[in-house]
């Protein structure tokens, strides 16, 4: 296996995750929450570890079938570990294992939660919880495939390892273009859902967080009794 290439790809995933944390950071700034500094710390930690992994150099830049499966498996674990940082640092879930469970449940769109009362959480933390569903709904590596300039059959091996089912077929000849089309559809459907929820009477924040949880087929909500609160 191409170990250095695997580690470099994980470094890219971590840097990408740090970029995703900017969204809840902005949410914390808008609502003037002290969690601004918690997300800043989480972003810096992700960038630091990701940057260290990117320092690894390898002559062989190809990713083969076996490498693809390892990268996908490790990416979900690594993203869940670092995705737990905002919960731990903010003190919402000081026990790391609880925070890891919440994070993994979000990225894998499982929807199980260890938080009994979500309504008392800061808006930025609730935003991050629901946003992890949306990120995991399509798979972060599918998004990276659309962006990364990988060589050879690397893109296809990552898509095969990331996607469920016995086979992966391309919408167009290039895997990169297929990934872009898939994410375009995903974003488009999310926008439609967001607009419909706004039209249904939800405020901006509620509509956005429910869009994340619904489009990603996860289930995290911001109300203890879920949609029953809007009845």
């Amino acid at each position: 296996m191409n170990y250095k290439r695997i580690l470099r790809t994980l470094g890219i995933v971590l840097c990408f995750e740090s970029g995703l944390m900017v969204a809840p950071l902005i949410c914390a700034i808008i609502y003037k929450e002290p969690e601004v500094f918690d997300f800043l710390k989480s972003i810096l930690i992700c960038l630091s570890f990701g940057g260290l992994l990117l320092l690894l150099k390898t002559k062989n830049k190809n990713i083969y079938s076996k490498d693809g499966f390892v990268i996908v498996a490790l990416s979900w674990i690594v993203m869940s570990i670092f995705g737990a940082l905002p919960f731990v640092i903010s003190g919402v879930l000081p026990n790391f294992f609880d925070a890891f469970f919440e994070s993994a449940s979000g990225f894998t769109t499982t929807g199980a939660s260890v938080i009994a009362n979500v309504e008392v959480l800061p808006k930025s933390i609730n935003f991050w919880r629901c946003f992890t569903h949306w990120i995991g709904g399509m798979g972060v590596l599918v998004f990276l495939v659309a962006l990364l300039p990988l060589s050879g059959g690397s893109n296809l091996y990552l898509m095969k390892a990331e996607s469920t089912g016995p086979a992966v077929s391309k919408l167009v000849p290039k895997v990169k273009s297929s990934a872009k089309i898939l994410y375009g559809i995903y974003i488009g459907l999310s926008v439609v859902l967001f607009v419909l929820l706004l039209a249904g009477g939800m405020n901006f924040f509620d509509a956005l967080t429910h869009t994340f949880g619904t489009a990603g087929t996860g289930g995290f909500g911001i109300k203890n009794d879920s949609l029953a609160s809007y009845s």
Side-chain angles (χ1 to χ4, degrees), residues 113-119 224:
S113 177
V114 296
I115 302 174
N117 187 1
V118 296
E119 294 183 22
N224 292 332

Side-chain angles (χ1 to χ4, degrees), residues 201-218:
M202 280 192 184
N203 61 47
F204 186 92
F205 179 80
D206 289 19
L208 189 60
T209 50
H210 278 87
T211 294
F212 291 151
T214 305
T217 66

